[in-house]
Amino acid sequence: MSTEEKPAAAPRSLAEALRARDDAGLAALLRSRPDLVTPVPADLTQLATRAGTRASVVRALERLDRFTTQTAQALAVAADPAPYDELLGLLAGDEGDPAVSAALPGAVRTLREQALLWGDDDRLRLVRTARELLSPSPQHPSPTGLGPTVREATAGMSPGRIQEIVTTVGLPSTHDSVSAVTALTGLFTDRARMAALLAEVPPESVEVLERLVWGPPYGQVTADPATRLRRLLDRGLLLPTAPGTVVLPREVALHLRGGRAHRTTEPVPPPVEAAATHRPQMVDATAAGQAYTALATVEELLKDWNEGGPAVLRSGGLSVRDLKRTAVALDVPETVAAFWVELAYAAGLVASDGETDERYAATPAYDTWLERPAAERWATLAAAWLAATRTPGLVGGRDAKDHTLAALGPGLDRSAAPEVRRRVLALLAELPEGAAPDSGSVSERLRWERPPRPAGGAAGSGSVAGGAGEGDDLRSRLARWTLAEAEMLGVTGRGALSAHGRAVLGLPGPKAPAGRAVPGPGTGTGTGTGPGTGPGSASQSGSATGPGATGPGDRLPVHHHRSPASPPFSSALTALTPAEQAAASSSAARLLAPLLPEPLDHVLLQADLTAVAPGPLQRPLADMLGVLADVESKGGATVYRFTPGSVRRALDSGRAAADLHAFLAAHSRTPVPQPLTYLIDDVARRHGHLRVGAASAYVRCDDDAVLNEILADRRAAGLGLRRLAPTVLAAQADPAGLLEGLRRMGFAPAAESAEGDVLITRADARRTPPRTAPEPVPEGPPVPDDTLLAAAIRAVRAGDLAATAPRRTTAGETDGETDGPGAGSGALPRTGAAETLATLQAAVLTGEALWIGHVNAEGVAGRRVIAPVRVEGGVVTAYDHTADEVRTYPLHRITGVAELADEES
């Protein structure tokens, strides 16, 4: 026997191609197509079957970049199987294209890695489902614009008509239609003879062909076609497919196109162009200013909702009126207000209170968030924004049922949003430091990396179209919204990615000179020069097995389990783990902290009853000043206005006039103006002179003249007041309505309890029960981590080993004594109880592996490959290669045993 190793046979199916991969190749497949790992396939045959299902193939095709998609489309119109050179000719044309030649190996590698393509380079095959989705048909035209082949178009044509065409083009007649069609195909694919045939056709007939050459390939003709059409029909350059319909054969179209399957092949991703360049220090400073504004805006939003925010609509979300009120309170447009509301919701800072009269309010997490340093608070918002699937840009639009999409309402989740955000920011990170991108070039790049689904496309085929500029698709809108939201949040400054924005993504520091290419997700921009340099041939190699790589009593090969390296830019293209995001947020906070202004402990009081805060204030000072005064203007410096109402609000919260004087004197860098002192004393003198309690409600005052004044005022008519005693008035209104009515009349009443004590009211008392931040809606199954991948591959390998390992044929099977369901190598082995016990005990001594048939507790029968370790007490303990673990099996549940075939056989 020759000791030379035989070359590996070409795979005959996708399952065999997967079986030839090493663990790194299987891990790459499961990582790129995570739907294949849930649930874990029993073996590689089941994995191959699942990889060929329509839903999985459609999902995989939708995630390909434009050139890889064009490669798959070219394979769908090529021969099956097709050699690599034919595929290269369809993409590069007769004249060739160096860019296509350089990029094609990577595209083939990507298709092969994702199990959309299998076979060696001389026999490339698309999986059947992908070919069905991409092949041209009258109902679903191919994105290439090509029609059916001559063989397909003449399938229903009469033999006599086929012979007439053959004779007209100068070919010898044949005895059957098959050979005639073969001869006609050979003519149309021969460039020299085809050029001579077209030279015989007048220019007006060639013009007809040129109108159909780039698709659609179908045209309408009358029952008596014109002479220019008749010449084409007679020569088979147009073939009838139905009454009144003709088609341009694929071979003819390819000749007219110069061999190209696509009008424009795009092997290289369009570059992201810089619209402007700024100094990095200016970018970081501008982004830090925006980050500070973002924190102030979120705080102002939640402070505005402290006493109970807007009501929740019956269908969920904010009403249009409440969104407008919020926009006015924040002094921003409604679309921007929707962004801040959704950001606070995504960060878990606001939620509905769950009461009968449901309203939005701050959560307990908001109080915790407020206590943290400013840089850490910003990092929390930025991380929540990156991971959120809710899309504020959709607010105000319409859903499929023509209902308005409301802020905080249902229907705003878009699974692609986190991926697009990270991808857009990753593209910004690849630009020179301080460069702001052109938004149009960013959209073009995203459309190349994930071609949009054309309107009206067929399910499963529309998403793999190859044209650019199919309209304002969702990913382009998400890209525009990402650039705008990143600027508002302070991730970018002047359009360029900031240092802390780069850090919160988990990216390394700035690098890369201008013009450096950015690889797209799932793209294969290989640098090979031809099929010999590897359109993915490495992924077909088998796993090596070491001499000591055996399990207990194992005579079968064991695959080494290697965790493949993560793809480049994985931290930017995929969501980070909680631990990774926490580290990235901490790094971003460290970079941002020195750029934020230090909180101040003082204000500047002015004689016009205003106070100027020249920067951010410390938390206690800001809270107290927010109660004592109203914000008049915001910006680099905040202006507060003292009014009788604001001073009364401070007195209602339990402060005395002396407390307010001491507070202002302690925190003002200027002397307290006399008008402000008079204002506080005047409001304090009148505050609490009237007392309001619950009767329904009553008014009590020691000065009956004040009560007489109230009764005489026409504005009090709606309160339903009547005198019960000289110093007491009863009201039909509730205490809150009575307090508000008296304040509108210019009085300063105070609420009192049943014991007669003044009730202290605080503006920040309303909080929801503990709430968690909303979970993002994932786009399909999550990408498995390395631990899950290793376990899944181990299970699939073990199951495949059990399903494919040969076993010896028993004498009874050889003599034909065994029949029925137990016969054959693929059925359960069946032996008697004594023979089963003896074979298992012998295997314990020799360390051999055995086939067993086993029926579990649910009555389900299965086959296992085990290496017995111990047999006692009616139970066999063995290493189960199918499950890749040690298990025990009761002997009464084993239907039989069989020895594995020798390796030589």
Side-chain angles (χ1 to χ4, degrees):
M1 179 184 297
S2 173
T3 59
E4 296 182 0
E5 294 186 4
K6 297 181 179 179
R12 295 172 297 176
S13 65
L14 178 59
E16 288 189 5
L18 295 179
R19 200 165 284 124
R21 293 191 183 193
D22 59 9
D23 289 353
L26 290 179
L29 167 62
L30 298 179
R31 185 179 288 109
S32 61
R33 298 177 64 179
D35 57 300
L36 301 182
V37 79
T38 307
V40 176
D43 51 39
L44 288 172
T45 301
Q46 189 179 84
L47 176 62
T49 301
R50 190 179 298 175
T53 59
R54 183 182 180 90
S56 181
V57 170
V58 168
R59 188 179 294 111
L61 290 174
E62 287 180 343
R63 300 186 69 85
L64 298 177
D65 64 56
R66 179 163 290 151
F67 181 65
T68 308
T69 300
Q70 290 180 329
T71 302
Q73 293 165 353
L75 277 169
V77 298
D80 187 23
Y84 182 86
D85 290 339
E86 180 181 350
L87 175 61
L88 178 61
L90 287 172
L91 290 168
D94 296 340
E95 298 179 356
D97 187 337
V100 171
S101 300
L104 184 57
V108 172
R109 187 183 308 115
T110 298
L111 292 173
R112 184 177 276 138
E113 176 185 280
Q114 299 191 21
L116 297 172
L117 172 69
W118 60 276
D120 294 334
D121 295 340
D122 58 342
R123 295 179 62 82
L124 297 174
R125 291 180 182 270
L126 273 181
V127 295
R128 182 176 59 186
T129 308
R131 192 173 188 89
E132 292 173 353
L133 290 170
L134 298 174
S135 295
S137 68
Q139 294 78 21
H140 306 302
S142 168
T144 62
L146 293 170
T149 63
V150 173
R151 186 176 302 278
E152 294 167 347
T154 58
M157 189 177 295
S158 65
R161 177 59 184 150
I162 295 176
Q163 293 296 336
E164 291 178 2
I165 295 175
V166 169
T167 303
T168 303
V169 296
L171 296 175
S173 60
T174 61
H175 298 287
D176 60 279
S177 299
V178 175
S179 57
V181 170
T182 302
L184 195 59
T185 302
L187 170 63
F188 289 167
T189 54
D190 187 317
R191 293 288 187 263
R193 290 195 294 163
M194 187 63 179
L197 178 62
L198 289 174
E200 301 174 359
V201 179
E204 58 269 19
S205 297
V206 175
E207 183 184 351
V208 174
L209 298 179
E210 290 176 347
R211 290 208 303 266
L212 300 176
V213 66
W214 291 110
Y218 294 90
Q220 302 296 319
V221 296
T222 61
D224 184 18
T227 304
R228 58 177 181 173
L229 295 175
R230 173 58 61 189
R231 291 192 180 97
L232 299 175
L233 290 169
D234 291 343
R235 290 165 174 79
L237 299 175
L238 289 180
L239 293 174
T241 59
T245 303
V246 295
V247 67
L248 179 67
R250 185 181 306 168
E251 295 84 352
V252 178
L254 286 174
H255 176 83
L256 295 172
R257 295 179 177 195
R260 287 182 176 272
H262 299 85
R263 183 192 293 266
T264 303
T265 307
E266 300 181 64
V268 179
V272 177
E273 300 174 354
T277 303
H278 310 281
R279 290 188 302 108
Q281 295 83 356
M282 178 64 70
V283 170
D284 291 344
T286 304
Q290 290 296 113
Y292 169 73
T293 302
L295 294 176
T297 304
V298 172
E299 290 180 32
E300 185 177 356
L301 169 68
L302 273 298
K303 191 177 295 183
D304 187 55
W305 289 6
N306 262 340
E307 298 181 4
V312 180
L313 292 174
R314 184 179 303 176
S315 59
L318 285 178
S319 66
V320 175
R321 180 181 300 175
D322 288 328
L323 181 60
K324 288 181 178 179
R325 289 173 178 169
T326 302
V328 171
L330 298 180
D331 194 22
V332 295
E334 293 176 32
T335 53
V336 177
F339 167 70
W340 294 120
V341 169
E342 286 288 345
L343 178 63
Y345 178 65
L349 306 180
V350 66
S352 62
D353 57 14
E355 302 293 336
T356 304
D357 182 19
E358 197 171 12
R359 290 182 172 275
Y360 289 106
T363 64
Y366 172 64
D367 298 312
T368 305
W369 179 77
L370 278 179
E371 298 302 321
R372 299 168 63 188
E376 294 183 13
R377 285 187 280 134
W378 177 86
T380 299
L381 295 180
W385 172 70
L386 284 173
T389 55
R390 295 185 62 81
T391 311
L394 296 173
V395 172
R398 297 279 179 174
D399 61 10
K401 297 181 179 180
D402 201 33
H403 296 160
T404 302
L405 295 172
L408 299 181
L412 294 183
D413 284 290
R414 295 296 182 270
S415 301
E419 180 208 346
V420 173
R421 289 192 192 108
R422 288 187 172 274
R423 184 56 189 154
V424 168
L425 296 178
L427 291 174
L428 267 62
E430 288 300 315
L431 289 173
E433 194 175 5
D438 175 67
S439 60
S441 66
V442 172
S443 297
E444 283 297 320
R445 178 59 169 268
L446 291 180
R447 281 196 288 266
W448 185 92
E449 292 179 353
R450 191 77 62 83
R453 185 193 302 268
S461 62
S463 60
V464 292
E470 283 94 344
D472 196 21
D473 61 285
L474 176 63
R475 289 177 65 86
S476 296
R477 287 184 290 158
L478 287 173
R480 291 200 306 272
W481 294 333
T482 295
L483 293 174
E485 292 167 2
E487 189 73 15
M488 288 189 292
L489 189 55
V491 176
T492 60
R494 296 180 178 264
L497 188 63
S498 63
H500 52 273
R502 186 187 303 269
V504 82
L505 285 168
L507 294 175
K511 56 183 180 180
R516 180 172 178 177
V518 184
T523 62
T525 54
T527 57
T529 57
T533 59
S537 58
S539 64
Q540 298 292 332
S541 60
S543 296
T545 55
T550 57
D554 192 1
R555 298 174 56 195
L556 299 173
V558 175
H559 291 263
H560 295 288
H561 306 295
R562 301 189 299 274
S563 297
S566 299
F569 302 102
S570 60
S571 60
L573 302 180
T574 60
L576 304 180
T577 64
E580 292 171 340
Q581 187 59 67
S585 298
S586 177
S587 175
R590 286 195 301 270
L591 291 172
L592 177 62
L595 303 176
L596 294 176
E598 288 292 332
L600 303 177
D601 63 351
H602 65 274
V603 294
L604 305 176
L605 295 178
Q606 303 186 106
D608 59 350
L609 297 180
T610 60
V612 178
L617 300 177
Q618 293 179 353
R619 177 67 50 202
L621 174 58
D623 291 342
M624 182 58 195
L625 200 58
V627 175
L628 182 56
D630 298 322
V631 176
E632 188 170 78
S633 64
K634 296 177 292 184
T638 305
V639 179
Y640 294 86
R641 169 71 64 179
F642 298 96
T643 64
S646 67
V647 174
R648 178 192 52 76
R649 186 170 62 232
L651 295 173
D652 284 343
S653 66
R655 273 78 172 182
D659 299 331
L660 301 183
H661 288 308
F663 169 79
L664 294 175
H667 293 93
S668 176
R669 288 292 177 89
T670 58
V672 179
Q674 192 176 49
L676 180 56
T677 302
Y678 288 167
L679 174 65
I680 294 174
D681 290 340
D682 183 58
V683 174
R685 185 169 51 254
R686 295 184 294 113
H687 182 263
H689 194 49
L690 294 176
R691 298 294 183 90
V692 174
S696 254
Y698 64 83
V699 181
R700 181 171 64 85
C701 182
D702 295 336
D703 187 352
D704 57 353
V706 175
L707 297 183
N708 292 334
E709 181 183 350
I710 293 174
L711 288 173
D713 197 318
R714 293 181 180 180
R715 292 174 294 178
L719 301 178
L721 297 173
R722 61 187 179 87
R723 189 184 294 273
L724 296 181
T727 58
V728 179
L729 298 179
Q732 297 178 359
D734 60 88
L738 182 56
L739 280 169
E740 185 63 29
L742 291 175
R743 287 167 180 165
R744 285 198 302 267
M745 294 167 61
F747 297 97
E752 69 177 11
S753 65
E755 291 78 18
D757 300 325
V758 175
L759 290 176
I760 297 175
T761 58
R762 299 186 183 275
D764 56 350
R766 188 179 182 91
R767 289 292 182 268
T768 70
R771 294 280 192 267
T772 57
E775 288 291 331
V777 178
E779 186 179 17
V783 177
D785 56 23
D786 291 342
T787 303
L788 177 57
L789 280 178
I793 293 172
R794 202 160 48 239
V796 171
R797 292 284 192 201
D800 197 62
L801 179 65
T804 58
R807 68 181 178 90
R808 288 179 181 172
T809 304
T810 64
E813 292 174 341
T814 304
D815 298 337
E817 297 175 0
T818 304
D819 55 12
S825 61
L828 294 179
R830 297 185 181 276
T831 55
E835 182 181 352
T836 298
L837 180 60
T839 305
L840 290 172
Q841 290 173 337
V844 172
L845 298 176
T846 61
E848 293 184 346
L850 300 173
W851 266 106
I852 68 168
H854 177 258
V855 180
N856 63 18
E858 287 77 25
V860 179
R863 299 172 298 164
R864 325 291 292 185
V865 177
I866 66 170
V869 177
R870 183 173 60 251
V871 180
E872 61 181 11
V875 174
V876 56
T877 302
Y879 177 78
D880 190 331
H881 292 282
T882 309
D884 200 18
E885 64 183 7
V886 176
R887 289 186 174 182
T888 58
Y889 295 98
L891 290 175
H892 69 274
R893 292 192 177 275
I894 297 178
T895 64
V897 297
E899 295 181 356
L900 295 178
D902 292 334
E903 293 180 353
E904 293 78 17
S905 61

